[in-house]
Amino acid sequence: MQSPLIKKLIDAFCCLPGVGPKSAQRMAYHLLERNREGGEQLSESLMAAMNGVQHCSRCRDFTEDKTCQLCLSGSRDKSLLCVVESPVDVFAIEATGGYKGTYFVLMGHLSPLDGIGPEDIGLDHLKSLVELEKPTEIILATNSTVEGEATAHFIAEMFKNSGISLSRLASGVPIGGELEYIDGGTLIQSLSGRRPYQS
Amino acid sequence: MQSPLIKKLIDAFCCLPGVGPKSAQRMAYHLLERNREGGEQLSESLMAAMNGVQHCSRCRDFTEDKTCQLCLSGSRDKSLLCVVESPVDVFAIEATGGYKGTYFVLMGHLSPLDGIGPEDIGLDHLKSLVELEKPTEIILATNSTVEGEATAHFIAEMFKNSGISLSRLASGVPIGGELEYIDGGTLIQSLSGRRPYQS
């Protein structure tokens, strides 16, 4: 006989990705038995983030202000615009420290079967942004999946006569990867995209 | 550049068991991108449970009332008392539907190295409960681990001259288990605990 409050908490945990009824139960009992303070803090952080986090008016990334810190920063190169699918992609690219341009976050990819069209991923917004800022290059950094490729293709078509150079992230063997364990599709890409050897 | 609210939420998720920084990030972005309602609900359920769930005055199980529904129920056999380590154990035994006695939840096990002594697992409370209710049998259903065995032994010593019969859960081959894959310790237990064949 589980208390209704515990039952409700276990159900609520199930909304997290990768969490089923068994892990949800473990999480609920762990917090109740050993870390009530952590549970309260999680509750407060959740509420604050769910209510406070919105989309940046320029790049659509998550922010708690009207425009995100990255877009407001004066040190970014506005001639370079990187289009990604999701805020985690911005985070991953920023973590490398090797990119100094700006971003545009689609918050998804084109998926006609799910009813996700160009407006849902903010392509009208992207168009006016490009007209306003006039970048010299747009990097299409959507995922290397079928939907990501289709989305990149659609965006490339949008800007093909604009004079802006369009690029796509390189596909190939990951650094440290062994050819033996790499799938055929990637191997073909890395062969056809081979570069002159530089010592 | 992650918003401070998102950073705080990711840190807060790390307090859950089995959740590291990477899964925490995935959870935070999943809720923000796809399920803000679920996130708010989780926040509310967490706060309600952390503040509302306490220990039953009789069995120490979690409950939101003074005494839990199971202890208040008139249909349970009070001559049988099952001592378990944690509320999840009560839940697991109740889920079988095969036990009609009452419970006592230690909320842990003896662990002198961690400074967890008899009072911390409510053994004084257990003693007065046994004196009050006078069960005819106490089932020592602590885990089959070193600490669980030590705790069972300690409780058995407490009641050895009380005339109450003491029992321990059977150890052996799990139903559906194959001998080939069972560890030696369990196999020895199941050999020494062998029963007359009943067809």
Side-chain angles (χ1 to χ4, degrees):
Chain A
M1 264 184 237
Q2 249 167 351
S3 122
L5 283 180
I6 300 183
K7 237 182 229 152
K8 228 173 137 186
L9 178 57
I10 293 174
D11 287 346
F13 268 127
C14 288
C15 78
L16 295 174
V19 176
K22 205 78 194 176
S23 332
Q25 179 177 310
R26 191 164 147 243
M27 288 173 173
Y29 280 107
H30 172 87
L31 291 181
L32 285 167
E33 283 175 32
R34 300 203 195 92
N35 196 358
R36 295 216 180 195
E37 209 175 303
E40 284 178 23
Q41 211 159 356
L42 176 57
S43 163
E44 282 158 15
S45 306
L46 262 170
M47 199 47 95
M50 294 302 129
N51 292 326
V53 174
Q54 45 182 342
H55 294 288
C56 168
S57 61
R58 183 194 160 279
C59 73
R60 307 221 314 160
D61 195 0
F62 285 136
T63 174
E64 46 202 283
D65 311 306
K66 204 175 165 305
T67 309
C68 74
Q69 290 304 311
L70 203 146
C71 290
L72 287 176
S73 158
S75 63
R76 309 294 299 210
D77 178 3
K78 294 220 168 174
S79 68
L80 211 56
L81 180 64
C82 180
V83 179
V84 296
E85 288 186 25
S86 138
V88 277
D89 302 331
V90 174
F91 188 64
I93 297 177
E94 283 301 291
T96 67
Y99 177 70
K100 289 293 163 228
T102 62
Y103 294 94
F104 184 82
V105 184
L106 301 170
M107 302 299 300
H109 47 235
L110 286 178
S111 182
L113 285 178
D114 300 316
I116 301 174
E119 287 102 65
D120 302 302
I121 58 171
L123 294 190
D124 41 352
H125 185 140
L126 175 62
K127 199 165 185 181
S128 37
L129 180 71
V130 168
E131 279 162 9
L132 183 75
E133 296 194 350
K134 298 190 177 41
T136 52
E137 180 176 352
I138 298 176
I139 304 172
L140 302 167
T142 52
N143 288 334
S144 189
T145 56
V146 177
E147 295 91 347
E149 292 291 347
T151 308
H153 181 75
F154 191 95
I155 298 172
E157 284 292 306
M158 269 171 66
F159 296 111
K160 71 174 172 181
N161 295 323
S162 62
I164 302 167
S165 45
L166 295 162
S167 58
R168 185 98 179 92
L169 289 186
S171 281
V173 183
I175 302 297
E178 294 178 48
L179 294 196
E180 185 181 354
Y181 299 108
I182 285 166
D183 68 292
T186 304
L187 213 48
I188 288 170
Q189 284 283 334
S190 69
L191 268 171
S192 69
R194 65 189 180 279
R195 302 176 309 170
Y197 180 73
Q198 286 166 327
S199 61
Chain B
M1 265 186 242
Q2 250 167 351
S3 121
L5 284 180
I6 301 182
K7 240 183 226 149
K8 226 171 137 186
L9 178 58
I10 293 174
D11 287 345
F13 268 128
C14 287
C15 78
L16 295 173
V19 176
K22 205 82 193 178
S23 330
Q25 179 177 308
R26 191 164 148 243
M27 288 172 173
Y29 280 108
H30 172 89
L31 292 181
L32 284 166
E33 282 175 31
R34 298 202 197 94
N35 196 357
R36 297 218 178 196
E37 210 175 303
E40 283 179 24
Q41 211 159 354
L42 176 57
S43 164
E44 282 158 16
S45 307
L46 262 171
M47 200 45 97
M50 294 302 130
N51 291 325
V53 173
Q54 44 183 347
H55 295 287
C56 168
S57 61
R58 183 195 159 280
C59 74
R60 308 219 316 159
D61 195 0
F62 285 135
T63 175
E64 46 203 282
D65 311 307
K66 206 177 162 306
T67 308
C68 75
Q69 290 303 311
L70 203 146
C71 289
L72 287 175
S73 159
S75 64
R76 307 297 297 212
D77 179 3
K78 293 221 168 174
S79 67
L80 211 55
L81 180 64
C82 181
V83 179
V84 296
E85 288 187 25
S86 137
V88 277
D89 303 331
V90 174
F91 188 65
I93 297 178
E94 282 302 290
T96 67
Y99 176 70
K100 290 290 163 234
T102 62
Y103 294 93
F104 184 83
V105 184
L106 300 170
M107 302 298 301
H109 47 235
L110 287 178
S111 182
L113 285 178
D114 301 316
I116 301 174
E119 287 102 67
D120 302 302
I121 58 171
L123 294 190
D124 42 350
H125 185 139
L126 175 62
K127 198 166 186 181
S128 37
L129 180 71
V130 168
E131 278 162 11
L132 184 76
E133 296 193 351
K134 297 190 180 35
T136 53
E137 181 176 351
I138 298 176
I139 304 172
L140 301 167
T142 52
N143 288 334
S144 189
T145 56
V146 176
E147 295 91 346
E149 292 292 348
T151 308
H153 181 74
F154 191 94
I155 299 172
E157 284 292 306
M158 270 171 65
F159 296 111
K160 71 174 172 184
N161 296 321
S162 62
I164 302 167
S165 46
L166 295 162
S167 58
R168 185 98 179 91
L169 290 186
S171 279
V173 183
I175 303 295
E178 294 178 47
L179 295 198
E180 185 180 353
Y181 299 108
I182 285 166
D183 66 294
T186 305
L187 212 49
I188 288 172
Q189 283 281 335
S190 70
L191 268 170
S192 68
R194 65 191 181 279
R195 302 176 311 170
Y197 182 72
Q198 286 167 327
S199 62

